[in-house]
Amino acid sequence: MTSELNIVILAAGKGKRMHSSMPKVLHTLAGKALLAHVLDVANRLTPNQICIVIGHGGESVRNVTSDTSLIWVMQEPQLGTGHAVLQAQPYLDREGLTLILYGDVPLVSLASLKKLIDATQNRVCGILTAIVDDPDGYGRIIRDENNGEVKNIVEDKDANTVQKAIHEINTGIMVIPNQYLHSWLPKLESNNAQQEYYLTDIVKMAVAQNVPVVSSPAMHSWEIMGVNSKVQLAELERIYQHNYAQKLLEKGALLRDPARIDVRGELICGADVEIDVNCVFEGTVILGDHVKVKANCLLKDVSVSEKTTILPFSHIEDAKIGANCRIGPYSRIRPETELIDNVHIGNFVEVKKSRIASGSKVNHLSYIGDTTIGENVNIGAGTITCNYDGAYKHQTIIEDNVFVGSDTQLVAPVTVAYGSTIGAGSTITKDTPKNELTLSRSKQVSISGWKRPSKS
Ligand code: UD1
Ligand code: CA
């Protein structure tokens, strides 16, 4: 691999067919902007520099990354791919190679790019090509009839009927030695059907100068697919998810239906993980050995230790979940929550910014927020930690071996001491003593002879 690699990412195109006010390359695939996918693969080639060509209204595109080493250049107006690279020319090294990538071709693989770069041997031009069933719209690769060498690329709009019948196409991704690029770019002309400066015209210049142009086919057909519309974006999303699911299966995860899982980030699975249908994983999710995630769960930035089961319809975000826990069905676990081992969180329970220690259970219809719960605590149905006074949030502390009766309100700040029992239906506003029963409800009375009102 070359030590002097420059990368230019073309991202100035309007993307009219997206029918969106957002620049095309900011649309997301698997939860990440198209351009961010391209930047990821670009960075993995460890180039000297990456230059991104953006267009009118593209200032917002810069927010896609916080990487300050990137060079952003404006192309306004947009007069074609050759004109786009021309804007980046002042930033290109004199030596080495420049790799051209497209900001809207997000799935190109590191392997295909390395193969292409290797094929150029740091000296000649290289084009990433593909043989496609329907070459409509693509530039066609024109080869010498005698030796089969690439001698031109003809754009679809400029092609004659014979050329249009060629199925070998230019993916747009190419590698050009910088020494030539510097001399060829200013010589590009726009006397073609689209009145554009075509980068592809450098092939003719190379041939005229006896600089060989090698081709290297992309390893998979989906790598070269671009996004021009929401239809294509949806297609690529499915391809990405299919590929991700295949990788998970190959590594031993059991997916009940690989067509019904969405990973928008990274999913790391231990041994014998089982994932039922319609689960969405965002950010970084780590599932330990023997973890089961049942149907219709959403997990974002979560780690789950071994043998825990997440039951259907649970939503967990920014949380750490221990071993042998049982979460759900219908549980909501919000950010900054930590559950230690053997914890049960049941249906219609919301937990926020809380720590729940081993063996504790919150099984039904509760809100636990800004709370520390000790070990072996049982929280009865309908318990609410009243953590918010309208201005500030306050902490609730529930020590080990506490039993909280159903329909209790714990008005924070409050501590329920070790071994306390809270009678059902209580509103607890003061700290409780250890090992005692505390309750705050009036005694039950019966009024004999009382009559219900009735209409006369
Ligand atoms: C280009 C290639 C064609 C190839 C096809 C693959 C040229 C002349 N043609 O055609 O051979 O088969 O891609 O999809 O290179 N862009 C800019 N500034 C511009 C024009 C385009 O940044 O002025 C960017 C676009 O945002 C896009 C990429 O360059 O990322 C390709 O542009 P597009 O208009 O899609 O090129 P095609 O005409 O499809
Ligand atoms: Ca295109």
Side-chain angles (χ1 to χ4, degrees), residues 32 38 73 92 143-144 225 274 282 339 368 378 403 423:
K32 191 163 79 179
V38 180
V73 293
L92 301 178
R143 289 180 181 273
D144 188 285
M225 292 168 75
E274 190 183 318
E282 298 184 351
L339 311 181
I368 304 295
N378 189 83
F403 181 97

Side-chain angles (χ1 to χ4, degrees), residues 8 18 30 83 96 108 133 160 172 220 276 282 303 313 319 333 338 349 372 394 396 452:
V8 177
M18 294 298 281
H83 180 255
V108 66
D133 292 337
N160 61 35
H220 308 94
D276 209 334
E282 298 184 351
S303 78
F313 296 99
I333 299 188
E338 186 180 3
V349 172
T372 303
H394 301 282
T396 300
R452 273 191 215 165

